[in-house]
Amino acid sequence: MKTELQVDVKDIDHLGIIAGIIDEIGIVEIIDQEIGTHAQEKVSAGLVVKAMIINCMGFITAPLYLFSQFFVGKATEHLIGVGVEAEHLNDSRLGRVLDQLYEYGVSLLFLKIACVMAECFGIKISNAHIDGTSLSVHGKYLKSVEGEQNSAEDILSLEEESEPVAININHGYSRDHRPDLKQFTLSLLTTGEEGIPLFMQVGDGNELDQNAFPKMIQEFQSQWLGEQPEVYVMDAAFYTEKNLKQCSESINWISRVPLTIKAAQELTQILLPEQFIKSNLYEEHSFCAVCSEYAGIKQRWIIVESELRRDADLKKILKRIEQSLILKIKSLKSLQNKEFACEADALIAAKDFEKTLNYHLLDELKILAKPHYQRRGKPKPGDEVSDYTYHIQANLVENKIVIKTHRNQAGRFILATNSLDEKKWTNDNDLILQEYKGQQTTERGFRFIKDPLFFASRVFLKNTKRIMALAMIMTLALMVYSLGQRQLRQSLKLTNSHLPNQKGKLTAQPTLRWILQCFQSVHLVFVDGIKSFIQLTDRQKLILQFLSPSSHRYYFLS
């Protein structure tokens, strides 16, 4: 008698690609080695982390309390490890692993993984980029700041949090434009072109980048096992007198100079167009370099002028002038209707008002005396004046000198560096601008971490230690993504090949995000409990040729 075959279908989609990159880095093995394993564990800490990274990049917005449900219907054993089932990836196991990651030290563990990854993949770390962001959270959190009191409601709602909190989840400057929500901060140190994260730190919600960056550099330098970066590139948050004095002897840096510094502001305003030299790399940019000793540190300031940015800035200036004029005309009318007891008071009020003007001046200013009579109504000949009130009369005109300085400043910003002795950086303004533009890769990394297509945009954990561990998982997901995209583009370049993008046009620089979306609805078919086959399209087979060899086995490709 012929028995009926038992056929089962499980989802793989793009997750085999992610699993392959994780395997190639060796994340599971490193975590199991550092944290340790236990004979009674059904799923090791390393495999749980692998599962969390896969969950992060699952193209859904499932929060962590739906973690185990995410793997229902997926080929969990195939993707994660033998014997691993969705029910093993429950909230309890997830929480314990997050606790273990925190106890080990999330920054230290991440750096150890990054060291192995950099050596394995031949990542050259000539230049490091540092930037910070904030991530908003929902819920109430205990405070650990000295002198800051927790409300009775907070304490009652968080009785389970018996140990001191790891970081302060509090209000601060929100990059998410959500000042109503509490937050924590995340700082990353990444490589230049690819934006691969090498180091990460989690901080209090109100921690400033200017305080976090020097601490991050010091810790990275003391723990990184590979070659140290030639230069650290940072935004204007780094550029403070304290940081320059603290860091300039130990590192070379490139930083944007904040225009709140008077010398920088004046310099961008007084330089003439003919003092700028055209860039050799960027058509729309020009340079003017000067020496500076701000904060007692010898450095070079490169004033950069961008034509595209200048056009945008001029439009903004024009809009600000128009808006200011509307508001100030209204304020001036109100002032003109006001009565003053003497001419001196009216004149003082007019001068005080003029101080509030940003782009205009008072023109044809007059103080008019208005007589008042004892008898109401229209005065008759011979009526005596009882007293006078004084009124302001004036017009508003543009302050041409101020507006000219703002126009001169449009499209200009300043980059500074203390790399004066090395031939590589000396007088090479294009190279310095190119390195600063590399900051965009770190910013793209933050957008990746916050993208709800890759992970829930909200953090639901109340335990601050687990939030820190979760931040490490999210940064590991960024590492996996950045490496995968790097490998893909390198393979295409080596073979002089191209792949179609979203619009069907061939490109040698596709995003990994688009490639992952090309692998939706890929299934693993089991026949009588045995892995039998995966149906792939010709396009999917073509793409896999350029991806990590470790990913091939998840799709049964040799």
Side-chain angles (χ1 to χ4, degrees), residues 10 13 15 29 50 86-87 109 122 160 167 200 218 242 259 265 275-276 305 358 371 374 385 398 416 454 499 531-532:
K10 298 285 187 181
D13 300 329
L15 302 179
E29 292 77 12
K50 181 180 182 179
E87 62 195 47
L109 184 57
E160 70 277 7
I167 52 172
M200 52 83 65
Q218 186 178 10
K242 179 183 176 183
L259 293 184
Q265 190 177 73
Q275 293 177 271
F276 286 80
E305 183 174 82
N358 295 320
Q374 291 181 350
V385 176
E398 288 187 351
F454 288 100
L499 289 173
K531 298 177 189 177
S532 295

Side-chain angles (χ1 to χ4, degrees), residues 11-12 15-16 19 23 50 54 74-81 554:
D11 297 333
I12 292 181
L15 302 179
D23 293 347
K50 181 180 182 179
I54 289 173
K74 293 182 172 58
T76 310
E77 275 194 274
H78 181 67
L79 291 169
I80 301 173
Y554 289 96

Side-chain angles (χ1 to χ4, degrees), residues 17 57 59 444 448 451 454 481-489 492 499-503 505-519 543 547:
I17 297 171
M57 303 178 71
F59 286 149
R444 283 197 292 267
F448 168 89
D451 191 334
F454 288 100
Y481 179 87
S482 304
L483 268 176
Q485 184 165 276
R486 176 180 183 267
Q487 286 181 299
L488 170 65
R489 292 179 176 181
L492 290 170
L499 289 173
N501 62 13
Q502 296 93 318
K503 297 180 180 179
K505 296 181 179 179
L506 293 177
T507 176
Q509 296 283 312
T511 65
L512 186 63
R513 176 172 176 164
W514 163 244
I515 295 301
L516 297 179
Q517 289 174 335
C518 293
F519 279 77
I543 291 171
L547 292 171

Side-chain angles (χ1 to χ4, degrees), residues 4 53 82 90 96 110 117 131 138 151 157 180 207 234 294 307 350 355 375 403 436 496 501 531 533 536 545 547 552:
E4 188 175 342
I53 295 171
V82 178
N90 51 54
R96 287 197 301 274
F110 184 88
M117 174 274 300
D131 206 350
H138 295 250
S151 68
S157 63
D180 56 311
E207 184 173 14
M234 292 160 282
Y294 181 78
E307 293 177 13
K355 290 177 184 177
R375 189 168 58 84
I403 291 175
Y436 184 75
N496 195 26
N501 62 13
K531 298 177 189 177
F533 64 91
L536 295 172
Q545 294 177 24
L547 292 171
H552 295 174

Side-chain angles (χ1 to χ4, degrees), residues 18 47 72 92 142 157 244 252 256 275 294 347 356 362 443 480 505 520:
I18 305 303
L47 289 175
V72 173
S92 176
L142 291 174
S157 63
L244 296 183
N252 291 328
R256 186 165 175 165
Q275 293 177 271
Y294 181 78
L347 194 58
T356 68
L362 287 178
E443 293 166 4
V480 168
K505 296 181 179 179
Q520 300 304 297

Side-chain angles (χ1 to χ4, degrees), residues 178-198:
R178 289 298 305 268
D180 56 311
L181 296 178
K182 291 184 178 182
Q183 62 183 25
F184 64 93
T185 56
L186 175 64
S187 299
L188 293 184
L189 184 151
T190 69
T191 59
E193 187 177 347
E194 296 91 1
I196 300 170
L198 304 176

Side-chain angles (χ1 to χ4, degrees), residues 239-364:
Y239 200 91
T240 66
E241 190 169 343
K242 179 183 176 183
N243 288 347
L244 296 183
K245 290 178 178 178
Q246 180 181 341
C247 298
S248 290
E249 290 186 6
S250 58
I251 66 165
N252 291 328
W253 48 260
I254 295 172
S255 173
R256 186 165 175 165
V257 180
L259 293 184
T260 51
I261 295 174
K262 187 177 179 181
Q265 190 177 73
E266 290 176 351
L267 192 58
T268 56
Q269 293 173 348
I270 64 172
L271 287 174
L272 301 174
E274 52 267 28
Q275 293 177 271
F276 286 80
I277 299 171
K278 283 285 185 182
S279 165
N280 295 320
L281 285 181
Y282 305 98
E283 281 187 25
E284 71 279 7
H285 287 82
S286 301
F287 305 110
C288 180
V290 299
C291 294
S292 173
E293 289 196 15
Y294 181 78
I297 306 299
K298 288 185 178 180
Q299 54 194 282
R300 191 162 92 256
W301 281 11
I302 299 98
I303 301 88
V304 184
E305 183 174 82
S306 165
E307 293 177 13
L308 293 176
R309 182 170 177 161
R310 178 176 172 79
D311 292 341
D313 285 353
L314 287 174
K315 289 179 182 178
K316 290 179 183 177
I317 291 169
L318 182 61
K319 188 175 182 179
R320 287 201 299 266
I321 293 171
E322 291 174 352
Q323 290 174 340
S324 177
L325 181 61
I326 293 170
L327 292 173
K328 294 306 177 182
I329 286 176
K330 187 176 180 181
S331 299
L332 180 59
K333 284 182 179 179
S334 177
L335 186 63
Q336 288 174 331
N337 292 330
K338 191 174 180 181
E339 296 180 345
F340 295 92
C342 64
E343 185 176 353
D345 287 349
L347 194 58
I348 290 171
K351 295 299 181 184
D352 288 342
F353 173 76
E354 192 168 33
K355 290 177 184 177
T356 68
L357 300 175
N358 295 320
Y359 305 101
H360 297 87
L361 293 169
L362 287 178
D363 185 44
E364 298 180 354

Side-chain angles (χ1 to χ4, degrees), residues 425-437:
W425 304 103
T426 304
N427 298 323
D428 196 338
N429 299 328
D430 279 311
L431 182 59
I432 290 170
L433 177 59
Q434 188 178 42
E435 281 303 324
Y436 184 75
K437 282 178 173 285

